[in-house]
PDB file of all heavy atoms in Angstrom:
ATOM      1  N   LYS A 124      24.996 -22.271   9.860  1.00  0.00           N
ATOM      2  CA  LYS A 124      25.297 -21.818   8.507  1.00  0.00           C
ATOM      3  C   LYS A 124      26.688 -21.177   8.465  1.00  0.00           C
ATOM      4  O   LYS A 124      27.163 -20.632   9.469  1.00  0.00           O
ATOM      5  CB  LYS A 124      24.235 -20.822   8.047  1.00  0.00           C
ATOM      6  CG  LYS A 124      22.863 -21.440   7.856  1.00  0.00           C
ATOM      7  CD  LYS A 124      21.844 -20.403   7.458  1.00  0.00           C
ATOM      8  CE  LYS A 124      22.088 -19.865   6.094  1.00  0.00           C
ATOM      9  NZ  LYS A 124      21.055 -18.910   5.666  1.00  0.00           N
ATOM     10  N   LYS A 125      27.321 -21.233   7.310  1.00  0.00           N
ATOM     11  CA  LYS A 125      28.677 -20.697   7.178  1.00  0.00           C
ATOM     12  C   LYS A 125      28.703 -19.178   7.314  1.00  0.00           C
ATOM     13  O   LYS A 125      29.633 -18.619   7.886  1.00  0.00           O
ATOM     14  CB  LYS A 125      29.256 -21.116   5.831  1.00  0.00           C
ATOM     15  CG  LYS A 125      29.484 -22.614   5.712  1.00  0.00           C
ATOM     16  CD  LYS A 125      30.090 -22.954   4.360  1.00  0.00           C
ATOM     17  CE  LYS A 125      30.330 -24.463   4.254  1.00  0.00           C
ATOM     18  NZ  LYS A 125      30.910 -24.846   2.932  1.00  0.00           N
ATOM     19  N   ASP A 126      27.690 -18.538   6.792  1.00  0.00           N
ATOM     20  CA  ASP A 126      27.657 -17.076   6.838  1.00  0.00           C
ATOM     21  C   ASP A 126      26.798 -16.542   7.971  1.00  0.00           C
ATOM     22  O   ASP A 126      26.300 -15.416   7.907  1.00  0.00           O
ATOM     23  CB  ASP A 126      27.128 -16.534   5.507  1.00  0.00           C
ATOM     24  CG  ASP A 126      25.748 -17.107   5.169  1.00  0.00           C
ATOM     25  OD1 ASP A 126      25.328 -18.072   5.844  1.00  0.00           O
ATOM     26  OD2 ASP A 126      25.113 -16.579   4.236  1.00  0.00           O
ATOM     27  N   TYR A 127      26.610 -17.351   9.050  1.00  0.00           N
ATOM     28  CA  TYR A 127      25.802 -16.906  10.186  1.00  0.00           C
ATOM     29  C   TYR A 127      26.563 -15.842  10.975  1.00  0.00           C
ATOM     30  O   TYR A 127      27.715 -16.035  11.358  1.00  0.00           O
ATOM     31  CB  TYR A 127      25.462 -18.087  11.095  1.00  0.00           C
ATOM     32  CG  TYR A 127      24.616 -17.710  12.293  1.00  0.00           C
ATOM     33  CD1 TYR A 127      23.263 -17.471  12.161  1.00  0.00           C
ATOM     34  CD2 TYR A 127      25.186 -17.588  13.566  1.00  0.00           C
ATOM     35  CE1 TYR A 127      22.488 -17.126  13.246  1.00  0.00           C
ATOM     36  CE2 TYR A 127      24.429 -17.242  14.651  1.00  0.00           C
ATOM     37  CZ  TYR A 127      23.073 -17.011  14.489  1.00  0.00           C
ATOM     38  OH  TYR A 127      22.313 -16.665  15.571  1.00  0.00           O
ATOM     39  N   GLY A 128      25.955 -14.729  11.237  1.00  0.00           N
ATOM     40  CA  GLY A 128      26.566 -13.639  11.998  1.00  0.00           C
ATOM     41  C   GLY A 128      27.514 -12.777  11.205  1.00  0.00           C
ATOM     42  O   GLY A 128      28.114 -11.850  11.772  1.00  0.00           O
ATOM     43  N   VAL A 129      27.681 -13.052   9.915  1.00  0.00           N
ATOM     44  CA  VAL A 129      28.581 -12.265   9.069  1.00  0.00           C
ATOM     45  C   VAL A 129      27.783 -11.113   8.457  1.00  0.00           C
ATOM     46  O   VAL A 129      26.649 -11.286   8.022  1.00  0.00           O
ATOM     47  CB  VAL A 129      29.204 -13.139   7.968  1.00  0.00           C
ATOM     48  CG1 VAL A 129      30.146 -12.325   7.092  1.00  0.00           C
ATOM     49  CG2 VAL A 129      29.931 -14.325   8.587  1.00  0.00           C
ATOM     50  N   THR A 130      28.406  -9.956   8.446  1.00  0.00           N
ATOM     51  CA  THR A 130      27.733  -8.789   7.863  1.00  0.00           C
ATOM     52  C   THR A 130      27.549  -8.991   6.367  1.00  0.00           C
ATOM     53  O   THR A 130      28.490  -9.362   5.674  1.00  0.00           O
ATOM     54  CB  THR A 130      28.560  -7.520   8.108  1.00  0.00           C
ATOM     55  OG1 THR A 130      28.851  -7.415   9.498  1.00  0.00           O
ATOM     56  CG2 THR A 130      27.801  -6.285   7.658  1.00  0.00           C
ATOM     57  N   PRO A 131      26.358  -8.786   5.851  1.00  0.00           N
ATOM     58  CA  PRO A 131      26.140  -8.977   4.405  1.00  0.00           C
ATOM     59  C   PRO A 131      27.002  -8.035   3.578  1.00  0.00           C
ATOM     60  O   PRO A 131      27.444  -6.979   4.030  1.00  0.00           O
ATOM     61  CB  PRO A 131      24.640  -8.665   4.239  1.00  0.00           C
ATOM     62  CG  PRO A 131      24.052  -8.852   5.591  1.00  0.00           C
ATOM     63  CD  PRO A 131      25.109  -8.477   6.565  1.00  0.00           C
ATOM     64  N   LYS A 132      27.223  -8.444   2.351  1.00  0.00           N
ATOM     65  CA  LYS A 132      28.091  -7.674   1.464  1.00  0.00           C
ATOM     66  C   LYS A 132      27.493  -6.312   1.120  1.00  0.00           C
ATOM     67  O   LYS A 132      28.210  -5.311   1.039  1.00  0.00           O
ATOM     68  CB  LYS A 132      28.352  -8.459   0.187  1.00  0.00           C
ATOM     69  CG  LYS A 132      29.181  -9.716   0.412  1.00  0.00           C
ATOM     70  CD  LYS A 132      29.441 -10.427  -0.919  1.00  0.00           C
ATOM     71  CE  LYS A 132      30.280 -11.682  -0.703  1.00  0.00           C
ATOM     72  NZ  LYS A 132      30.532 -12.403  -1.988  1.00  0.00           N
ATOM     73  N   TYR A 133      26.172  -6.280   0.944  1.00  0.00           N
ATOM     74  CA  TYR A 133      25.577  -5.000   0.570  1.00  0.00           C
ATOM     75  C   TYR A 133      25.661  -3.984   1.703  1.00  0.00           C
ATOM     76  O   TYR A 133      25.765  -2.776   1.463  1.00  0.00           O
ATOM     77  CB  TYR A 133      24.124  -5.212   0.135  1.00  0.00           C
ATOM     78  CG  TYR A 133      23.159  -5.528   1.247  1.00  0.00           C
ATOM     79  CD1 TYR A 133      22.448  -4.519   1.889  1.00  0.00           C
ATOM     80  CD2 TYR A 133      22.941  -6.835   1.649  1.00  0.00           C
ATOM     81  CE1 TYR A 133      21.550  -4.796   2.898  1.00  0.00           C
ATOM     82  CE2 TYR A 133      22.051  -7.130   2.649  1.00  0.00           C
ATOM     83  CZ  TYR A 133      21.353  -6.108   3.277  1.00  0.00           C
ATOM     84  OH  TYR A 133      20.459  -6.393   4.272  1.00  0.00           O
ATOM     85  N   VAL A 134      25.670  -4.461   2.973  1.00  0.00           N
ATOM     86  CA  VAL A 134      25.784  -3.537   4.102  1.00  0.00           C
ATOM     87  C   VAL A 134      27.195  -2.947   4.163  1.00  0.00           C
ATOM     88  O   VAL A 134      27.370  -1.734   4.355  1.00  0.00           O
ATOM     89  CB  VAL A 134      25.434  -4.256   5.414  1.00  0.00           C
ATOM     90  CG1 VAL A 134      25.628  -3.313   6.596  1.00  0.00           C
ATOM     91  CG2 VAL A 134      23.989  -4.733   5.377  1.00  0.00           C
ATOM     92  N   THR A 135      28.214  -3.803   4.000  1.00  0.00           N
ATOM     93  CA  THR A 135      29.590  -3.293   4.007  1.00  0.00           C
ATOM     94  C   THR A 135      29.826  -2.349   2.833  1.00  0.00           C
ATOM     95  O   THR A 135      30.488  -1.307   2.977  1.00  0.00           O
ATOM     96  CB  THR A 135      30.560  -4.470   3.936  1.00  0.00           C
ATOM     97  OG1 THR A 135      30.244  -5.285   2.792  1.00  0.00           O
ATOM     98  CG2 THR A 135      30.462  -5.334   5.178  1.00  0.00           C
ATOM     99  N   GLN A 136      29.283  -2.687   1.684  1.00  0.00           N
ATOM    100  CA  GLN A 136      29.434  -1.811   0.518  1.00  0.00           C
ATOM    101  C   GLN A 136      28.768  -0.466   0.748  1.00  0.00           C
ATOM    102  O   GLN A 136      29.315   0.592   0.420  1.00  0.00           O
ATOM    103  CB  GLN A 136      28.839  -2.505  -0.709  1.00  0.00           C
ATOM    104  CG  GLN A 136      29.056  -1.747  -2.015  1.00  0.00           C
ATOM    105  CD  GLN A 136      28.496  -2.515  -3.189  1.00  0.00           C
ATOM    106  OE1 GLN A 136      27.968  -3.619  -3.029  1.00  0.00           O
ATOM    107  NE2 GLN A 136      28.604  -1.939  -4.378  1.00  0.00           N
ATOM    108  N   ARG A 137      27.594  -0.499   1.367  1.00  0.00           N
ATOM    109  CA  ARG A 137      26.893   0.761   1.650  1.00  0.00           C
ATOM    110  C   ARG A 137      27.659   1.599   2.660  1.00  0.00           C
ATOM    111  O   ARG A 137      27.751   2.832   2.523  1.00  0.00           O
ATOM    112  CB  ARG A 137      25.492   0.447   2.168  1.00  0.00           C
ATOM    113  CG  ARG A 137      24.609   1.662   2.353  1.00  0.00           C
ATOM    114  CD  ARG A 137      23.259   1.274   2.897  1.00  0.00           C
ATOM    115  NE  ARG A 137      22.559   0.378   2.000  1.00  0.00           N
ATOM    116  CZ  ARG A 137      21.428  -0.245   2.325  1.00  0.00           C
ATOM    117  NH1 ARG A 137      20.908  -0.079   3.531  1.00  0.00           N
ATOM    118  NH2 ARG A 137      20.827  -1.025   1.455  1.00  0.00           N
ATOM    119  N   ASN A 138      28.228   0.953   3.693  1.00  0.00           N
ATOM    120  CA  ASN A 138      29.008   1.701   4.679  1.00  0.00           C
ATOM    121  C   ASN A 138      30.249   2.338   4.042  1.00  0.00           C
ATOM    122  O   ASN A 138      30.597   3.492   4.358  1.00  0.00           O
ATOM    123  CB  ASN A 138      29.423   0.774   5.820  1.00  0.00           C
ATOM    124  CG  ASN A 138      28.232   0.311   6.634  1.00  0.00           C
ATOM    125  OD1 ASN A 138      27.198   0.980   6.665  1.00  0.00           O
ATOM    126  ND2 ASN A 138      28.367  -0.821   7.295  1.00  0.00           N
ATOM    127  N   GLU A 139      30.902   1.594   3.162  1.00  0.00           N
ATOM    128  CA  GLU A 139      32.072   2.161   2.481  1.00  0.00           C
ATOM    129  C   GLU A 139      31.686   3.345   1.599  1.00  0.00           C
ATOM    130  O   GLU A 139      32.400   4.356   1.553  1.00  0.00           O
ATOM    131  CB  GLU A 139      32.742   1.069   1.639  1.00  0.00           C
ATOM    132  CG  GLU A 139      33.418  -0.022   2.462  1.00  0.00           C
ATOM    133  CD  GLU A 139      33.988  -1.118   1.585  1.00  0.00           C
ATOM    134  OE1 GLU A 139      33.811  -1.015   0.348  1.00  0.00           O
ATOM    135  OE2 GLU A 139      34.589  -2.057   2.137  1.00  0.00           O
ATOM    136  N   GLU A 140      30.563   3.233   0.925  1.00  0.00           N
ATOM    137  CA  GLU A 140      30.104   4.353   0.096  1.00  0.00           C
ATOM    138  C   GLU A 140      29.782   5.578   0.945  1.00  0.00           C
ATOM    139  O   GLU A 140      30.079   6.716   0.565  1.00  0.00           O
ATOM    140  CB  GLU A 140      28.882   3.915  -0.706  1.00  0.00           C
ATOM    141  CG  GLU A 140      29.197   2.915  -1.808  1.00  0.00           C
ATOM    142  CD  GLU A 140      27.957   2.468  -2.547  1.00  0.00           C
ATOM    143  OE1 GLU A 140      26.848   2.913  -2.141  1.00  0.00           O
ATOM    144  OE2 GLU A 140      28.072   1.688  -3.507  1.00  0.00           O
TER     145      GLU A 140
END
Side-chain angles (χ1 to χ4, degrees):
K124 293 178 68 177
K125 294 181 179 179
D126 56 348
Y127 180 77
V129 180
T130 307
K132 293 182 180 179
Y133 72 92
V134 177
T135 55
Q136 186 178 359
R137 186 181 299 171
N138 293 336
E139 291 176 358
E140 290 178 357

